[in-house]
Amino acid sequence: MGNSPDTSENKTLQFPILSHSEKFYTLGLMTNRIIHEMNNSVQGILLLVNFLKMNYSADETISDLDQEIQKMRNLTRSVLDYIKTNTIEFGPLDLSIIINKTIILLKDITSDPTFTSIETEYPPSVPWIKGNFFHLQQAFLNIFLFCGWVLKHFQSSRLRVEIKHDHLLKLYNVKIWCQGQTTMEKGLPFDEYAEEAKLNLAQKIFRIYNGQLQVSEASNKDPAIIVTLPAFIPTSDQSD
């Protein structure tokens, strides 16, 4: 008879992974409850602020309060929308919509000015791909958060996103890079930062779609992340 595996050792190896997953699952449930409670309060305060605006329209304090409560409303709305997105279906998706909604989510949740001034350039026709919105948003969230960190570290001026259609290979290339950087720090390679940021998780998601993620350190300037995804041509019924 062969030696049976050491089940105790296997359980020991699996325990940290299971504990980590359970921790984030529990945190998600807690966040959902907290945001729902916050949203109830925000809606009540919003009604009060609207009433005050009608009677004290020239009051700067009321105006400032209105701006802050609008930010809070946007934050709770974005988090709730993100939590509700849990479908597993694959279907035709507009790649530009995925990226735009990801940027809005980051802008509302983080209040980071980095995500309010991202320049985007999309092809004239709809960049259709086939996939799951939630999965792809996870990957692009990972990338944008990393790029926001790089932007600050390398003191670049802004982020830019381009979607190009490669008609010959039937692919879409998404290029995300930090504009305004003049030199790279030789002692701190860009790809090492990408490894620390766990961009391999985004890479695994893109591989499900026969796509790819590459980290490019250009010879002149502007480090870039390039995502390649297969183009999809939906029928008229699918694109509605």
Side-chain angles (χ1 to χ4, degrees):
M1 293 180 63
N3 295 329
S4 60
D6 186 347
T7 56
S8 177
E9 182 178 349
N10 289 339
K11 289 180 179 179
T12 301
L13 292 173
Q14 294 174 9
F15 182 73
I17 299 174
L18 294 174
S19 298
H20 197 64
S21 299
E22 182 66 21
K23 179 179 180 180
F24 277 94
Y25 177 75
T26 305
L27 179 61
L29 293 177
M30 293 168 60
T31 302
N32 187 22
R33 178 65 182 274
I34 292 169
I35 293 297
H36 271 291
E37 293 297 328
M38 287 176 57
N39 190 52
N40 292 335
S41 300
V42 167
Q43 295 303 322
I45 297 172
L46 189 60
L47 288 174
L48 175 60
V49 171
N50 287 335
F51 173 78
L52 292 173
K53 284 168 60 179
M54 289 188 296
N55 294 276
Y56 305 97
S57 57
D59 193 305
E60 293 183 2
T61 303
I62 300 301
S63 178
D64 292 341
L65 179 60
D66 181 50
Q67 292 181 14
E68 291 302 317
I69 200 63
Q70 293 292 347
K71 289 180 183 178
M72 184 62 68
R73 186 188 66 170
N74 292 340
L75 187 153
T76 55
R77 179 202 61 203
S78 293
V79 173
L80 288 174
D81 287 346
Y82 180 68
I83 290 172
K84 291 176 183 176
T85 306
N86 59 358
T87 58
I88 60 174
E89 291 81 8
F90 277 54
L93 297 170
D94 183 340
L95 184 55
S96 62
I97 289 179
I98 297 172
I99 292 174
N100 285 338
K101 287 190 175 182
T102 302
I103 293 172
I104 291 172
L105 176 66
L106 287 169
K107 180 180 66 175
D108 289 343
I109 291 178
T110 65
S111 297
D112 189 335
T114 296
F115 303 116
T116 62
S117 58
I118 296 178
E119 296 182 11
T120 56
E121 182 179 336
Y122 301 144
S125 58
V126 176
W128 289 109
I129 61 172
K130 189 173 184 179
N132 176 275
F133 181 90
F134 178 69
H135 289 165
L136 290 168
Q137 189 179 48
Q138 301 304 298
F140 281 109
L141 277 171
N142 188 193
I143 292 172
F144 278 117
L145 286 170
F146 167 68
C147 287
W149 177 81
V150 169
L151 197 76
K152 292 180 176 62
H153 183 84
F154 290 114
Q155 298 181 343
S156 301
S157 59
R158 61 191 179 278
L159 288 175
R160 180 173 173 81
V161 181
E162 272 186 6
I163 299 179
K164 297 291 185 181
H165 189 188
D166 189 325
H167 295 273
L168 182 63
L169 297 178
K170 298 180 180 179
L171 296 171
Y172 283 110
N173 293 309
V174 183
K175 183 180 179 183
I176 306 169
W177 77 94
C178 306
Q179 288 185 295
Q181 180 186 306
T182 55
T183 58
M184 294 291 293
E185 295 182 41
K186 294 181 179 180
L188 302 169
F190 187 70
D191 57 351
E192 288 187 13
Y193 283 112
E195 184 176 353
E196 289 183 12
K198 306 301 181 185
L199 287 183
N200 58 318
L201 298 178
Q203 175 71 293
K204 290 177 181 178
I205 292 175
F206 292 129
R207 283 175 181 166
I208 295 175
Y209 303 94
N210 296 317
Q212 189 177 15
L213 182 151
Q214 295 177 311
V215 178
S216 171
E217 184 178 335
S219 57
N220 52 351
K221 59 177 182 178
D222 299 342
I225 291 176
I226 300 173
V227 176
T228 302
L229 291 167
F232 176 72
I233 303 177
T235 64
S236 58
D237 293 338
Q238 288 175 315
S239 59
D240 290 339

Short mmCIF file of all heavy atoms in Angstrom, two decimals, residues 76-138:
data_model
loop_
_atom_site.label_atom_id
_atom_site.label_comp_id
_atom_site.label_asym_id
_atom_site.label_seq_id
_atom_site.Cartn_x
_atom_site.Cartn_y
_atom_site.Cartn_z
N THR A 76 -21.77 56.38 -1.03
CA THR A 76 -22.64 55.27 -0.64
C THR A 76 -23.28 54.62 -1.86
O THR A 76 -23.41 53.39 -1.93
CB THR A 76 -23.73 55.74 0.33
OG1 THR A 76 -24.47 56.82 -0.25
CG2 THR A 76 -23.14 56.19 1.65
N ARG A 77 -23.67 55.44 -2.84
CA ARG A 77 -24.27 54.89 -4.06
C ARG A 77 -23.28 53.98 -4.79
O ARG A 77 -23.63 52.88 -5.23
CB ARG A 77 -24.69 56.03 -4.98
CG ARG A 77 -25.31 55.58 -6.30
CD ARG A 77 -25.21 56.67 -7.34
NE ARG A 77 -23.82 57.02 -7.60
CZ ARG A 77 -23.42 58.17 -8.10
NH1 ARG A 77 -24.29 59.13 -8.34
NH2 ARG A 77 -22.14 58.40 -8.35
N SER A 78 -22.04 54.42 -4.91
CA SER A 78 -21.04 53.64 -5.63
C SER A 78 -20.73 52.34 -4.92
O SER A 78 -20.60 51.29 -5.55
CB SER A 78 -19.76 54.47 -5.80
OG SER A 78 -19.97 55.57 -6.65
N VAL A 79 -20.58 52.39 -3.60
CA VAL A 79 -20.29 51.17 -2.85
C VAL A 79 -21.44 50.18 -2.94
O VAL A 79 -21.23 48.98 -3.13
CB VAL A 79 -19.97 51.50 -1.37
CG1 VAL A 79 -19.82 50.22 -0.56
CG2 VAL A 79 -18.70 52.32 -1.28
N LEU A 80 -22.67 50.67 -2.82
CA LEU A 80 -23.83 49.78 -2.91
C LEU A 80 -23.95 49.16 -4.29
O LEU A 80 -24.25 47.96 -4.43
CB LEU A 80 -25.11 50.54 -2.55
CG LEU A 80 -25.28 50.90 -1.07
CD1 LEU A 80 -26.50 51.78 -0.89
CD2 LEU A 80 -25.41 49.64 -0.22
N ASP A 81 -23.71 49.94 -5.33
CA ASP A 81 -23.74 49.41 -6.69
C ASP A 81 -22.67 48.34 -6.88
O ASP A 81 -22.89 47.32 -7.53
CB ASP A 81 -23.54 50.53 -7.72
CG ASP A 81 -24.75 51.43 -7.84
OD1 ASP A 81 -25.83 51.04 -7.35
OD2 ASP A 81 -24.62 52.54 -8.42
N TYR A 82 -21.50 48.59 -6.31
CA TYR A 82 -20.39 47.64 -6.43
C TYR A 82 -20.72 46.34 -5.70
O TYR A 82 -20.47 45.25 -6.20
CB TYR A 82 -19.13 48.27 -5.85
CG TYR A 82 -17.91 47.38 -5.90
CD1 TYR A 82 -17.33 47.05 -7.12
CD2 TYR A 82 -17.36 46.88 -4.73
CE1 TYR A 82 -16.20 46.24 -7.16
CE2 TYR A 82 -16.24 46.07 -4.77
CZ TYR A 82 -15.67 45.75 -5.99
OH TYR A 82 -14.56 44.95 -6.03
N ILE A 83 -21.30 46.45 -4.52
CA ILE A 83 -21.64 45.26 -3.73
C ILE A 83 -22.71 44.43 -4.44
O ILE A 83 -22.68 43.20 -4.42
CB ILE A 83 -22.12 45.67 -2.33
CG1 ILE A 83 -20.94 46.23 -1.51
CG2 ILE A 83 -22.74 44.49 -1.59
CD1 ILE A 83 -21.34 46.83 -0.19
N LYS A 84 -23.66 45.10 -5.09
CA LYS A 84 -24.76 44.40 -5.75
C LYS A 84 -24.31 43.66 -7.01
O LYS A 84 -25.01 42.78 -7.48
CB LYS A 84 -25.88 45.39 -6.10
CG LYS A 84 -26.61 45.96 -4.89
CD LYS A 84 -27.62 47.00 -5.33
CE LYS A 84 -28.31 47.64 -4.14
NZ LYS A 84 -29.23 48.73 -4.56
N THR A 85 -23.16 44.05 -7.57
CA THR A 85 -22.70 43.45 -8.82
C THR A 85 -22.05 42.11 -8.52
O THR A 85 -20.89 42.04 -8.14
CB THR A 85 -21.68 44.37 -9.53
OG1 THR A 85 -22.25 45.66 -9.68
CG2 THR A 85 -21.31 43.83 -10.89
N ASN A 86 -22.82 41.03 -8.66
CA ASN A 86 -22.28 39.71 -8.35
C ASN A 86 -22.74 38.66 -9.36
O ASN A 86 -22.79 37.48 -9.05
CB ASN A 86 -22.68 39.29 -6.94
CG ASN A 86 -24.19 39.24 -6.75
OD1 ASN A 86 -24.94 39.56 -7.67
ND2 ASN A 86 -24.63 38.84 -5.57
N THR A 87 -23.12 39.08 -10.55
CA THR A 87 -23.58 38.13 -11.56
C THR A 87 -22.41 37.31 -12.10
O THR A 87 -21.26 37.77 -12.09
CB THR A 87 -24.26 38.86 -12.73
OG1 THR A 87 -23.33 39.79 -13.30
CG2 THR A 87 -25.49 39.62 -12.25
N ILE A 88 -22.71 36.11 -12.57
CA ILE A 88 -21.67 35.23 -13.10
C ILE A 88 -21.83 35.03 -14.60
O ILE A 88 -21.05 34.30 -15.21
CB ILE A 88 -21.69 33.86 -12.39
CG1 ILE A 88 -23.05 33.18 -12.59
CG2 ILE A 88 -21.36 34.02 -10.91
CD1 ILE A 88 -23.10 31.76 -12.04
N GLU A 89 -22.83 35.67 -15.20
CA GLU A 89 -23.08 35.47 -16.62
C GLU A 89 -22.01 36.16 -17.48
O GLU A 89 -21.50 37.21 -17.12
CB GLU A 89 -24.45 36.01 -17.02
CG GLU A 89 -25.63 35.22 -16.47
CD GLU A 89 -25.96 35.58 -15.03
OE1 GLU A 89 -25.35 36.56 -14.53
OE2 GLU A 89 -26.78 34.90 -14.41
N PHE A 90 -21.71 35.52 -18.60
CA PHE A 90 -20.82 36.10 -19.59
C PHE A 90 -21.67 36.61 -20.75
O PHE A 90 -22.63 35.95 -21.15
CB PHE A 90 -19.83 35.06 -20.12
CG PHE A 90 -18.63 34.87 -19.24
CD1 PHE A 90 -18.76 34.59 -17.88
CD2 PHE A 90 -17.36 34.97 -19.76
CE1 PHE A 90 -17.67 34.41 -17.08
CE2 PHE A 90 -16.25 34.80 -18.96
CZ PHE A 90 -16.40 34.51 -17.61
N GLY A 91 -21.33 37.77 -21.28
CA GLY A 91 -22.09 38.31 -22.39
C GLY A 91 -21.34 39.45 -23.04
O GLY A 91 -20.23 39.81 -22.63
N PRO A 92 -21.91 40.08 -24.07
CA PRO A 92 -21.28 41.21 -24.74
C PRO A 92 -21.15 42.40 -23.80
O PRO A 92 -22.09 42.74 -23.08
CB PRO A 92 -22.23 41.53 -25.90
CG PRO A 92 -23.07 40.31 -26.07
CD PRO A 92 -23.18 39.69 -24.71
N LEU A 93 -19.99 43.03 -23.78
CA LEU A 93 -19.73 44.18 -22.91
C LEU A 93 -19.03 45.27 -23.70
O LEU A 93 -18.17 44.99 -24.54
CB LEU A 93 -18.85 43.77 -21.72
CG LEU A 93 -19.41 42.74 -20.74
CD1 LEU A 93 -18.32 42.30 -19.78
CD2 LEU A 93 -20.59 43.32 -19.96
N ASP A 94 -19.39 46.50 -23.40
CA ASP A 94 -18.71 47.66 -23.95
C ASP A 94 -17.50 47.94 -23.06
O ASP A 94 -17.65 48.34 -21.89
CB ASP A 94 -19.67 48.85 -23.99
CG ASP A 94 -19.04 50.10 -24.61
OD1 ASP A 94 -17.81 50.19 -24.68
OD2 ASP A 94 -19.81 50.99 -25.02
N LEU A 95 -16.31 47.74 -23.60
CA LEU A 95 -15.09 47.89 -22.80
C LEU A 95 -14.94 49.30 -22.25
O LEU A 95 -14.45 49.48 -21.13
CB LEU A 95 -13.88 47.51 -23.66
CG LEU A 95 -12.51 47.51 -23.00
CD1 LEU A 95 -12.49 46.63 -21.76
CD2 LEU A 95 -11.45 47.05 -24.00
N SER A 96 -15.37 50.30 -23.01
CA SER A 96 -15.25 51.68 -22.54
C SER A 96 -16.15 51.93 -21.33
O SER A 96 -15.80 52.71 -20.44
CB SER A 96 -15.59 52.66 -23.66
OG SER A 96 -16.93 52.50 -24.10
N ILE A 97 -17.32 51.28 -21.28
CA ILE A 97 -18.22 51.44 -20.14
C ILE A 97 -17.60 50.82 -18.88
O ILE A 97 -17.70 51.39 -17.78
CB ILE A 97 -19.59 50.82 -20.44
CG1 ILE A 97 -20.33 51.66 -21.47
CG2 ILE A 97 -20.43 50.70 -19.17
CD1 ILE A 97 -21.69 51.12 -21.87
N ILE A 98 -16.96 49.67 -19.03
CA ILE A 98 -16.29 49.04 -17.89
C ILE A 98 -15.26 49.98 -17.30
O ILE A 98 -15.20 50.19 -16.08
CB ILE A 98 -15.61 47.72 -18.31
CG1 ILE A 98 -16.64 46.71 -18.80
CG2 ILE A 98 -14.82 47.13 -17.14
CD1 ILE A 98 -16.03 45.46 -19.41
N ILE A 99 -14.44 50.58 -18.16
CA ILE A 99 -13.39 51.47 -17.70
C ILE A 99 -13.97 52.74 -17.09
O ILE A 99 -13.55 53.18 -16.00
CB ILE A 99 -12.44 51.80 -18.86
CG1 ILE A 99 -11.66 50.55 -19.26
CG2 ILE A 99 -11.48 52.93 -18.47
CD1 ILE A 99 -10.79 50.72 -20.48
N ASN A 100 -14.98 53.33 -17.72
CA ASN A 100 -15.59 54.55 -17.19
C ASN A 100 -16.22 54.32 -15.82
O ASN A 100 -16.06 55.13 -14.90
CB ASN A 100 -16.64 55.08 -18.16
CG ASN A 100 -16.03 55.76 -19.37
OD1 ASN A 100 -14.87 56.20 -19.33
ND2 ASN A 100 -16.77 55.84 -20.45
N LYS A 101 -16.94 53.21 -15.66
CA LYS A 101 -17.59 52.92 -14.38
C LYS A 101 -16.56 52.62 -13.30
O LYS A 101 -16.77 52.94 -12.13
CB LYS A 101 -18.57 51.76 -14.54
CG LYS A 101 -19.84 52.14 -15.29
CD LYS A 101 -20.89 51.04 -15.22
CE LYS A 101 -22.18 51.50 -15.86
NZ LYS A 101 -23.25 50.46 -15.77
N THR A 102 -15.46 52.03 -13.69
CA THR A 102 -14.39 51.76 -12.73
C THR A 102 -13.77 53.07 -12.24
O THR A 102 -13.50 53.24 -11.05
CB THR A 102 -13.30 50.87 -13.36
OG1 THR A 102 -13.89 49.64 -13.80
CG2 THR A 102 -12.21 50.56 -12.35
N ILE A 103 -13.55 54.00 -13.16
CA ILE A 103 -12.99 55.30 -12.79
C ILE A 103 -13.95 56.05 -11.86
O ILE A 103 -13.53 56.66 -10.86
CB ILE A 103 -12.70 56.13 -14.05
CG1 ILE A 103 -11.55 55.49 -14.85
CG2 ILE A 103 -12.33 57.57 -13.68
CD1 ILE A 103 -11.31 56.13 -16.20
N ILE A 104 -15.25 56.03 -12.18
CA ILE A 104 -16.25 56.71 -11.34
C ILE A 104 -16.28 56.10 -9.95
O ILE A 104 -16.35 56.81 -8.93
CB ILE A 104 -17.65 56.63 -11.99
CG1 ILE A 104 -17.68 57.49 -13.26
CG2 ILE A 104 -18.73 57.11 -11.02
CD1 ILE A 104 -18.94 57.32 -14.09
N LEU A 105 -16.22 54.76 -9.88
CA LEU A 105 -16.21 54.08 -8.58
C LEU A 105 -15.02 54.52 -7.75
O LEU A 105 -15.17 54.86 -6.56
CB LEU A 105 -16.19 52.57 -8.80
CG LEU A 105 -16.07 51.69 -7.54
CD1 LEU A 105 -17.32 51.84 -6.67
CD2 LEU A 105 -15.87 50.23 -7.92
N LEU A 106 -13.85 54.56 -8.34
CA LEU A 106 -12.65 54.96 -7.61
C LEU A 106 -12.72 56.43 -7.20
O LEU A 106 -12.31 56.79 -6.10
CB LEU A 106 -11.41 54.73 -8.48
CG LEU A 106 -11.00 53.27 -8.66
CD1 LEU A 106 -9.96 53.13 -9.75
CD2 LEU A 106 -10.48 52.69 -7.35
N LYS A 107 -13.25 57.27 -8.07
CA LYS A 107 -13.36 58.70 -7.76
C LYS A 107 -14.29 58.92 -6.57
O LYS A 107 -13.98 59.70 -5.66
CB LYS A 107 -13.89 59.45 -8.99
CG LYS A 107 -14.04 60.95 -8.78
CD LYS A 107 -14.56 61.61 -10.03
CE LYS A 107 -15.97 61.17 -10.36
NZ LYS A 107 -16.54 61.90 -11.51
N ASP A 108 -15.42 58.22 -6.56
CA ASP A 108 -16.39 58.41 -5.48
C ASP A 108 -15.90 57.82 -4.16
O ASP A 108 -16.11 58.41 -3.09
CB ASP A 108 -17.73 57.75 -5.86
CG ASP A 108 -18.45 58.51 -6.96
OD1 ASP A 108 -18.09 59.67 -7.20
OD2 ASP A 108 -19.35 57.93 -7.59
N ILE A 109 -15.25 56.67 -4.22
CA ILE A 109 -14.86 55.98 -2.99
C ILE A 109 -13.60 56.58 -2.39
O ILE A 109 -13.50 56.75 -1.17
CB ILE A 109 -14.66 54.47 -3.26
CG1 ILE A 109 -16.01 53.82 -3.55
CG2 ILE A 109 -13.99 53.78 -2.07
CD1 ILE A 109 -15.92 52.34 -3.87
N THR A 110 -12.62 56.90 -3.23
CA THR A 110 -11.33 57.35 -2.69
C THR A 110 -11.22 58.86 -2.54
O THR A 110 -10.38 59.33 -1.77
CB THR A 110 -10.18 56.89 -3.61
OG1 THR A 110 -10.30 57.55 -4.89
CG2 THR A 110 -10.22 55.38 -3.82
N SER A 111 -12.05 59.63 -3.29
CA SER A 111 -11.91 61.10 -3.33
C SER A 111 -10.50 61.51 -3.72
O SER A 111 -10.02 62.59 -3.35
CB SER A 111 -12.28 61.72 -1.97
OG SER A 111 -13.63 61.47 -1.66
N ASP A 112 -9.82 60.64 -4.45
CA ASP A 112 -8.45 60.91 -4.90
C ASP A 112 -8.51 61.72 -6.19
O ASP A 112 -9.11 61.28 -7.17
CB ASP A 112 -7.73 59.58 -5.14
CG ASP A 112 -6.24 59.77 -5.40
OD1 ASP A 112 -5.85 60.86 -5.86
OD2 ASP A 112 -5.48 58.83 -5.14
N PRO A 113 -7.91 62.92 -6.22
CA PRO A 113 -7.94 63.74 -7.44
C PRO A 113 -7.30 63.04 -8.63
O PRO A 113 -7.56 63.43 -9.78
CB PRO A 113 -7.16 65.00 -7.04
CG PRO A 113 -6.37 64.62 -5.83
CD PRO A 113 -7.18 63.58 -5.12
N THR A 114 -6.49 62.03 -8.39
CA THR A 114 -5.88 61.27 -9.48
C THR A 114 -6.94 60.74 -10.43
O THR A 114 -6.76 60.73 -11.66
CB THR A 114 -5.07 60.08 -8.93
OG1 THR A 114 -3.98 60.58 -8.15
CG2 THR A 114 -4.52 59.21 -10.05
N PHE A 115 -8.08 60.31 -9.88
CA PHE A 115 -9.10 59.65 -10.69
C PHE A 115 -10.16 60.62 -11.22
O PHE A 115 -11.10 60.19 -11.88
CB PHE A 115 -9.77 58.55 -9.87
CG PHE A 115 -8.79 57.53 -9.34
CD1 PHE A 115 -8.58 57.38 -7.97
CD2 PHE A 115 -8.06 56.75 -10.20
CE1 PHE A 115 -7.67 56.45 -7.49
CE2 PHE A 115 -7.13 55.83 -9.73
CZ PHE A 115 -6.93 55.67 -8.37
N THR A 116 -10.00 61.89 -10.96
CA THR A 116 -10.94 62.89 -11.50
C THR A 116 -10.42 63.53 -12.77
O THR A 116 -11.16 64.24 -13.45
CB THR A 116 -11.22 63.99 -10.46
OG1 THR A 116 -10.00 64.69 -10.17
CG2 THR A 116 -11.79 63.40 -9.18
N SER A 117 -9.16 63.29 -13.09
CA SER A 117 -8.56 63.97 -14.26
C SER A 117 -7.94 62.97 -15.24
O SER A 117 -6.99 63.31 -15.94
CB SER A 117 -7.51 64.97 -13.80
OG SER A 117 -6.50 64.33 -13.04
N ILE A 118 -8.45 61.74 -15.26
CA ILE A 118 -7.92 60.75 -16.19
C ILE A 118 -8.39 61.06 -17.60
O ILE A 118 -9.58 61.24 -17.85
CB ILE A 118 -8.37 59.33 -15.79
CG1 ILE A 118 -7.80 58.96 -14.41
CG2 ILE A 118 -7.93 58.30 -16.83
CD1 ILE A 118 -8.24 57.59 -13.92
N GLU A 119 -7.46 61.14 -18.52
CA GLU A 119 -7.80 61.37 -19.92
C GLU A 119 -8.10 60.02 -20.58
O GLU A 119 -7.38 59.04 -20.37
CB GLU A 119 -6.64 62.06 -20.65
CG GLU A 119 -6.34 63.45 -20.12
CD GLU A 119 -5.21 64.11 -20.92
OE1 GLU A 119 -4.84 63.57 -21.98
OE2 GLU A 119 -4.71 65.15 -20.46
N THR A 120 -9.15 59.97 -21.39
CA THR A 120 -9.52 58.73 -22.07
C THR A 120 -9.66 58.98 -23.57
O THR A 120 -10.11 60.05 -23.99
CB THR A 120 -10.85 58.16 -21.53
OG1 THR A 120 -11.87 59.16 -21.65
CG2 THR A 120 -10.71 57.77 -20.06
N GLU A 121 -9.30 57.98 -24.33
CA GLU A 121 -9.45 58.02 -25.79
C GLU A 121 -9.94 56.65 -26.25
O GLU A 121 -9.23 55.65 -26.06
CB GLU A 121 -8.14 58.38 -26.49
CG GLU A 121 -8.27 58.48 -28.00
CD GLU A 121 -6.96 58.84 -28.69
OE1 GLU A 121 -6.10 59.45 -28.02
OE2 GLU A 121 -6.81 58.50 -29.88
N TYR A 122 -11.13 56.61 -26.82
CA TYR A 122 -11.74 55.35 -27.24
C TYR A 122 -11.95 55.35 -28.74
O TYR A 122 -12.04 56.40 -29.37
CB TYR A 122 -13.09 55.16 -26.53
CG TYR A 122 -12.99 55.15 -25.02
CD1 TYR A 122 -13.99 55.71 -24.23
CD2 TYR A 122 -11.89 54.59 -24.38
CE1 TYR A 122 -13.92 55.71 -22.84
CE2 TYR A 122 -11.80 54.59 -22.99
CZ TYR A 122 -12.81 55.15 -22.23
OH TYR A 122 -12.72 55.15 -20.85
N PRO A 123 -12.05 54.17 -29.35
CA PRO A 123 -12.29 54.10 -30.80
C PRO A 123 -13.67 54.63 -31.16
O PRO A 123 -14.56 54.69 -30.31
CB PRO A 123 -12.17 52.59 -31.09
CG PRO A 123 -12.41 51.92 -29.79
CD PRO A 123 -11.91 52.85 -28.72
N PRO A 124 -13.88 55.03 -32.41
CA PRO A 124 -15.17 55.60 -32.82
C PRO A 124 -16.32 54.62 -32.72
O PRO A 124 -17.46 55.01 -32.45
CB PRO A 124 -14.92 56.03 -34.27
CG PRO A 124 -13.73 55.26 -34.71
CD PRO A 124 -12.89 55.05 -33.50
N SER A 125 -16.05 53.34 -32.94
CA SER A 125 -17.10 52.32 -32.81
C SER A 125 -17.02 51.69 -31.43
O SER A 125 -15.98 51.75 -30.75
CB SER A 125 -16.95 51.25 -33.88
OG SER A 125 -15.67 50.64 -33.81
N VAL A 126 -18.12 51.08 -30.99
CA VAL A 126 -18.18 50.48 -29.64
C VAL A 126 -17.16 49.35 -29.53
O VAL A 126 -17.16 48.43 -30.36
CB VAL A 126 -19.59 49.93 -29.35
CG1 VAL A 126 -19.60 49.23 -27.99
CG2 VAL A 126 -20.61 51.06 -29.38
N PRO A 127 -16.26 49.39 -28.53
CA PRO A 127 -15.27 48.32 -28.35
C PRO A 127 -15.88 47.11 -27.64
O PRO A 127 -15.75 46.93 -26.43
CB PRO A 127 -14.19 48.99 -27.50
CG PRO A 127 -14.92 50.04 -26.73
CD PRO A 127 -16.04 50.51 -27.60
N TRP A 128 -16.56 46.27 -28.40
CA TRP A 128 -17.23 45.11 -27.81
C TRP A 128 -16.25 44.00 -27.45
O TRP A 128 -15.35 43.67 -28.22
CB TRP A 128 -18.25 44.53 -28.79
CG TRP A 128 -19.47 45.36 -29.02
CD1 TRP A 128 -19.80 46.06 -30.15
CD2 TRP A 128 -20.55 45.60 -28.09
NE1 TRP A 128 -20.99 46.72 -29.99
CE2 TRP A 128 -21.48 46.45 -28.74
CE3 TRP A 128 -20.81 45.17 -26.80
CZ2 TRP A 128 -22.65 46.88 -28.13
CZ3 TRP A 128 -21.98 45.60 -26.19
CH2 TRP A 128 -22.88 46.44 -26.84
N ILE A 129 -16.43 43.44 -26.27
CA ILE A 129 -15.75 42.23 -25.86
C ILE A 129 -16.80 41.31 -25.24
O ILE A 129 -17.95 41.72 -25.06
CB ILE A 129 -14.62 42.50 -24.83
CG1 ILE A 129 -15.20 43.14 -23.56
CG2 ILE A 129 -13.52 43.36 -25.44
CD1 ILE A 129 -14.18 43.27 -22.44
N LYS A 130 -16.43 40.09 -24.93
CA LYS A 130 -17.37 39.18 -24.29
C LYS A 130 -16.78 38.74 -22.95
O LYS A 130 -15.63 38.30 -22.88
CB LYS A 130 -17.65 37.95 -25.16
CG LYS A 130 -18.78 37.08 -24.63
CD LYS A 130 -19.14 35.98 -25.60
CE LYS A 130 -20.34 35.18 -25.08
NZ LYS A 130 -20.74 34.10 -26.03
N GLY A 131 -17.57 38.88 -21.90
CA GLY A 131 -17.06 38.50 -20.59
C GLY A 131 -18.05 38.80 -19.49
O GLY A 131 -19.24 39.01 -19.73
N ASN A 132 -17.54 38.86 -18.27
CA ASN A 132 -18.34 39.14 -17.08
C ASN A 132 -17.91 40.50 -16.53
O ASN A 132 -16.73 40.73 -16.26
CB ASN A 132 -18.13 38.05 -16.03
CG ASN A 132 -18.86 38.33 -14.73
OD1 ASN A 132 -18.35 39.03 -13.86
ND2 ASN A 132 -20.06 37.80 -14.60
N PHE A 133 -18.86 41.41 -16.38
CA PHE A 133 -18.54 42.78 -15.95
C PHE A 133 -17.82 42.79 -14.61
O PHE A 133 -16.82 43.49 -14.44
CB PHE A 133 -19.83 43.61 -15.87
CG PHE A 133 -19.60 45.03 -15.45
CD1 PHE A 133 -19.36 46.01 -16.40
CD2 PHE A 133 -19.59 45.40 -14.11
CE1 PHE A 133 -19.14 47.33 -16.03
CE2 PHE A 133 -19.36 46.71 -13.73
CZ PHE A 133 -19.14 47.67 -14.70
N PHE A 134 -18.32 42.02 -13.64
CA PHE A 134 -17.76 42.03 -12.30
C PHE A 134 -16.30 41.58 -12.32
O PHE A 134 -15.44 42.19 -11.69
CB PHE A 134 -18.58 41.13 -11.39
CG PHE A 134 -18.06 41.03 -9.99
CD1 PHE A 134 -18.13 42.11 -9.14
CD2 PHE A 134 -17.50 39.85 -9.52
CE1 PHE A 134 -17.66 42.03 -7.84
CE2 PHE A 134 -17.02 39.76 -8.22
CZ PHE A 134 -17.10 40.84 -7.38
N HIS A 135 -16.00 40.49 -13.05
CA HIS A 135 -14.62 39.99 -13.11
C HIS A 135 -13.68 41.04 -13.70
O HIS A 135 -12.61 41.30 -13.16
CB HIS A 135 -14.56 38.73 -13.98
CG HIS A 135 -15.19 37.54 -13.34
ND1 HIS A 135 -15.51 36.41 -14.04
CD2 HIS A 135 -15.57 37.30 -12.06
CE1 HIS A 135 -16.06 35.52 -13.24
NE2 HIS A 135 -16.12 36.04 -12.03
N LEU A 136 -14.10 41.62 -14.82
CA LEU A 136 -13.23 42.58 -15.50
C LEU A 136 -13.06 43.86 -14.69
O LEU A 136 -11.98 44.45 -14.68
CB LEU A 136 -13.79 42.89 -16.89
CG LEU A 136 -13.69 41.73 -17.88
CD1 LEU A 136 -14.51 41.99 -19.12
CD2 LEU A 136 -12.23 41.48 -18.26
N GLN A 137 -14.11 44.28 -13.99
CA GLN A 137 -13.96 45.46 -13.15
C GLN A 137 -12.98 45.21 -12.02
O GLN A 137 -12.21 46.10 -11.64
CB GLN A 137 -15.31 45.91 -12.59
CG GLN A 137 -15.22 47.26 -11.90
CD GLN A 137 -16.54 47.74 -11.34
OE1 GLN A 137 -17.23 47.01 -10.66
NE2 GLN A 137 -16.90 48.98 -11.65
N GLN A 138 -12.97 43.97 -11.48
CA GLN A 138 -11.99 43.64 -10.45
C GLN A 138 -10.57 43.86 -10.96
O GLN A 138 -9.71 44.43 -10.28
CB GLN A 138 -12.13 42.17 -10.02
CG GLN A 138 -13.47 41.77 -9.46
CD GLN A 138 -13.86 42.63 -8.29
OE1 GLN A 138 -13.20 42.65 -7.27
NE2 GLN A 138 -14.95 43.35 -8.43
#
